[in-house]
Amino acid sequence: MPFSSYKLEACRASPKASSLSADSPCSLLSLIFLSSCELAYPQYLAMEMGPASGDKAGVFSQGRRWLNALPVKFKAKVADTARNIKKVGQDDPRRVIHSLKVGLALALVSIFYYYQPLYSNFGVTAMWAIMTVVVVLEFSVGATLGKGLNRGMATLLASALGVGAHHLANLSGHVGEPILLGSLVFLQAAISTFLRFFPKIKARYDYGLLIFILTFSLISISGFRDDEILELAHKRVLTVFVGGCACFIISIVVFPVWAGEDLHNLIALNIEKLGNFLEGFGDEYFKRTGDAESKDDKKYLEGYKSVLNSKTGEESLANFAAWEPRHGRFQFRHPWKQYLKVGTLARECAYRIEALNGYLNADIQASSEVRSLIQEACTNMSIESGKALKELSLTIKKMVQPSSADSHIENAKSAAKNLKSLLKSGLWEDTDLLKVIPGITVASILNEVVKCTENIAESVHELASKAQFKSVERTVSPEKLHSGQPQNIKSAQMVNCSHVVVNVGESTMAASPSEISSAPKAIKHNMEV
């Protein structure tokens, strides 16, 4: 073997064969010898150790690239997190205010620990006040009041029953006391847990039942080893009361968020989204507006989708609103359940709109001849239903009587009758069914949408009656115009209107152009120059 090969073999074998520690001089000399071999005979190392060194080099290069990219990825992650935080705050600035309110409430309640006289009276039980703030203070006033009252009443009742159970168990003797306490804890836990399965109880008192189970078990079981059970119950009730009062005051006084108002606005917004879709559906389906519109211009066609999944949110808001006192335009015991009825009808309409949306880009479309026959009736049904829904949404927002939507509903029903008479005619006998069915299906769904719109209008009328919405007086009564009775119009509005002529038979007026511009808007639509 050549000296160089022998030297290379010695270099490769020396790290494996070495059984000495890394701190020994021999081991250090071996490492120096190995380094000199690598410098002196690189070609041998490349030939005989090529695959292993290649794998190691690949791992080291990947690790180096990962380390170099780590600062860039970290900066991108921080920027993405900052954008998400900004978006959450911009979507609803009340979230930022709520976070500050929670911090303020905790800082105030922490005085029980910082102020020595208070801590001397309550001791470690002051922690229950802090825990009460953490679990009770919610986003809306209704949710905070609901949780706070549930926690307070459950704590008070469970404390009283726990003290009574302790005294009753004392009468049974030393042997029977743990048996009776265990039996009472078992019974109350089983009964309370079973009551939580009732839907109405679970909706409003589920949290209270949980606190009842916890407090009763804590006090009754603790009384077995601690004789000061009455003092324990007293301190727990008092600290929970202090924490709950802090939550109530901050939630109501500092920028309050009312669940009832959110529910009111949500129902109105959902109905408006349905109206926006129906107003634009006719032009979109029959391609009146052309194909050059961008996707941003057609966002109104996607708004109804949020209505489909609004049931849980509406029920939660209605439950929270039931706990709220009188505020703003909403009286105590406002008919919140009627809002749920309106929301249910709106979702039924949204499901039919979902079916209509499926025909906008369907593979099988009605022929141009069929579309031309049903275009006018379907467009009128869609537009008039959309206008009626938007009017109903506006009346809910302003809390006025929904009389303006009735005319649009009548127009939609009239268009539906015309469509029915058209479908019953003999125009479809010689037409291919595959070309007729898509158009007839759209017309049938629109007919159901008109019925849904009428049901929503009736429900809104019922809501307006129960909530005592304000009635709006009309400036000009259409009935009086048709009957020919003059209107009581102020003289200030009749300037330069001396030559206006009212034609009762044709419901028109004749006047000069200058007189038309000065006439009141209430009768301007009945003028003809």
Side-chain angles (χ1 to χ4, degrees):
M1 179 183 293
F3 176 75
S4 58
S5 300
Y6 173 81
K7 203 171 183 181
L8 180 59
E9 289 295 332
C11 292
R12 295 177 59 189
S14 59
K16 298 180 181 179
S18 178
S19 60
L20 300 175
S21 63
D23 296 334
S24 63
C26 294
S27 178
L28 181 62
L29 290 175
S30 300
L31 293 174
I32 296 173
F33 182 63
L34 178 62
S35 301
S36 63
C37 289
E38 291 177 352
L39 294 175
Y41 305 100
Q43 65 275 14
Y44 292 103
L45 293 175
M47 289 170 55
E48 300 188 22
M49 300 178 64
S53 61
D55 295 340
K56 293 180 180 180
V59 172
F60 285 130
S61 62
Q62 290 179 2
R64 190 182 301 111
R65 285 195 297 269
W66 182 82
L67 290 175
N68 292 335
L70 187 61
V72 179
K73 292 181 179 180
F74 179 75
K75 291 180 180 179
K77 190 68 175 179
V78 171
D80 185 57
T81 304
R83 283 192 297 268
N84 291 335
I85 294 174
K86 183 179 179 181
K87 183 178 181 301
V88 170
Q90 288 179 343
D91 290 344
D92 193 349
R94 299 178 300 176
R95 297 170 179 170
V96 180
I97 298 175
H98 174 68
S99 303
L100 299 177
K101 288 162 64 176
V102 174
L104 176 62
L106 284 174
L108 291 177
V109 176
S110 299
I111 296 177
F112 277 92
Y113 268 81
Y114 302 147
Y115 192 54
Q116 185 61 35
L118 291 177
Y119 183 78
S120 299
N121 292 328
F122 291 97
V124 183
T125 56
M127 183 60 66
W128 288 106
I130 298 176
M131 293 177 61
T132 300
V133 172
V134 173
V135 300
V136 167
L137 188 54
E138 293 288 342
F139 183 73
S140 64
V141 175
T144 302
L145 290 175
K147 265 196 168 183
L149 293 176
N150 268 281
R151 186 179 180 87
M153 296 301 297
T155 302
L156 182 61
L157 181 60
S159 299
L161 293 179
V163 172
H166 172 70
H167 287 293
L168 181 63
N170 285 334
L171 300 177
S172 60
H174 182 72
V175 178
E177 182 179 0
I179 299 175
L180 183 58
L181 283 177
S183 301
L184 292 175
V185 170
F186 169 77
L187 287 176
Q188 68 85 20
I191 294 173
S192 301
T193 304
F194 182 75
L195 290 176
R196 294 178 59 199
F197 290 105
F198 289 87
K200 292 184 179 180
I201 295 178
K202 186 176 182 62
R204 299 197 63 180
Y205 307 109
D206 185 69
Y207 180 70
L209 290 172
L210 284 176
I211 298 300
F212 178 82
I213 296 172
L214 173 65
T215 305
F216 182 87
S217 302
L218 177 66
I219 292 178
S220 59
I221 295 175
S222 299
F224 183 72
R225 297 293 182 183
D226 190 1
D227 295 333
E228 301 295 334
I229 183 174
L230 188 60
E231 183 180 357
L232 174 65
H234 173 261
K235 288 183 177 180
R236 176 166 170 78
V237 171
L238 191 57
T239 51
V240 169
F241 176 77
V242 172
C245 287
C247 294
F248 295 161
I249 294 173
I250 291 177
S251 180
I252 295 175
V253 175
V254 183
F255 298 99
V257 178
W258 302 101
E261 186 175 356
D262 288 349
L263 176 62
H264 180 87
N265 295 331
L266 177 62
I267 295 297
L269 180 61
N270 287 345
I271 295 177
E272 183 180 1
K273 290 178 180 178
L274 301 182
N276 290 335
F277 178 91
L278 291 175
E279 272 196 323
F281 174 77
D283 292 337
E284 181 67 21
Y285 183 73
F286 296 105
K287 301 298 180 182
R288 282 186 174 184
T289 57
D291 300 329
E293 294 185 14
S294 62
K295 292 183 178 180
D296 294 336
D297 297 332
K298 298 181 180 180
K299 286 184 177 180
Y300 63 90
L301 295 175
E302 305 293 330
Y304 75 93
K305 293 184 177 180
S306 62
V307 184
L308 299 173
N309 302 318
S310 62
K311 180 180 180 180
T312 303
E314 291 173 3
E315 290 179 349
S316 298
L317 289 175
N319 181 31
F320 298 150
W323 293 98
E324 294 178 347
R326 175 179 178 178
H327 58 278
R329 301 175 296 173
F330 308 101
Q331 306 289 333
F332 184 67
R333 300 184 66 84
H334 195 73
W336 302 116
K337 292 184 179 180
Q338 186 64 27
Y339 284 91
L340 296 180
K341 183 178 179 181
V342 177
T344 301
L345 294 174
R347 280 190 297 276
E348 292 179 2
C349 185
Y351 290 133
R352 287 161 175 80
I353 288 178
E354 174 77 4
L356 286 176
N357 187 54
Y359 283 92
L360 289 177
N361 299 314
D363 296 334
I364 301 177
Q365 297 285 351
S367 62
S368 58
E369 295 82 3
V370 174
R371 288 195 178 196
S372 61
L373 290 174
I374 64 174
Q375 178 174 347
E376 182 179 0
C378 289
T379 303
N380 289 337
M381 292 165 62
S382 178
I383 292 177
E384 293 297 332
S385 298
K387 289 181 178 179
L389 290 175
K390 294 181 73 173
E391 288 290 341
L392 292 173
S393 172
L394 186 61
T395 56
I396 292 177
K397 290 180 181 179
K398 295 184 177 181
M399 297 185 72
V400 296
Q401 294 292 336
S403 57
S404 57
D406 296 339
S407 59
H408 296 296
I409 294 177
E410 292 299 326
N411 294 336
K413 291 170 67 177
S414 177
K417 290 181 181 179
N418 295 335
L419 181 61
K420 287 181 180 179
S421 61
L422 179 64
L423 296 178
K424 291 179 181 180
S425 63
L427 298 175
W428 319 98
E429 295 180 356
D430 299 331
T431 309
D432 188 5
L433 289 178
L434 293 178
K435 298 180 179 180
V436 174
I437 289 177
I440 301 301
T441 304
V442 170
S444 177
I445 297 175
L446 282 174
N447 187 36
E448 294 182 2
V449 168
V450 173
K451 294 180 181 178
C452 288
T453 304
E454 187 177 6
N455 293 335
I456 293 174
E458 292 177 358
S459 183
V460 173
H461 275 284
E462 186 178 355
L463 172 63
S465 176
K466 291 182 177 179
Q468 298 179 358
F469 285 1
K470 297 179 180 179
S471 59
V472 180
E473 296 181 359
R474 295 183 179 180
T475 306
V476 179
S477 176
E479 291 81 2
K480 293 184 178 180
L481 280 177
H482 288 295
S483 62
Q485 296 180 5
Q487 304 297 315
N488 295 326
I489 302 175
K490 296 181 179 180
S491 59
Q493 295 177 335
M494 296 300 294
V495 181
N496 296 329
C497 291
S498 57
H499 297 287
V500 176
V501 179
V502 178
N503 191 329
V504 178
E506 299 177 358
S507 298
T508 58
M509 297 184 182
S512 62
S514 61
E515 294 164 349
I516 293 175
S517 61
S518 63
K521 291 183 178 180
I523 59 175
K524 189 174 180 180
H525 67 281
N526 288 325
M527 290 185 177
E528 180 179 354
V529 181

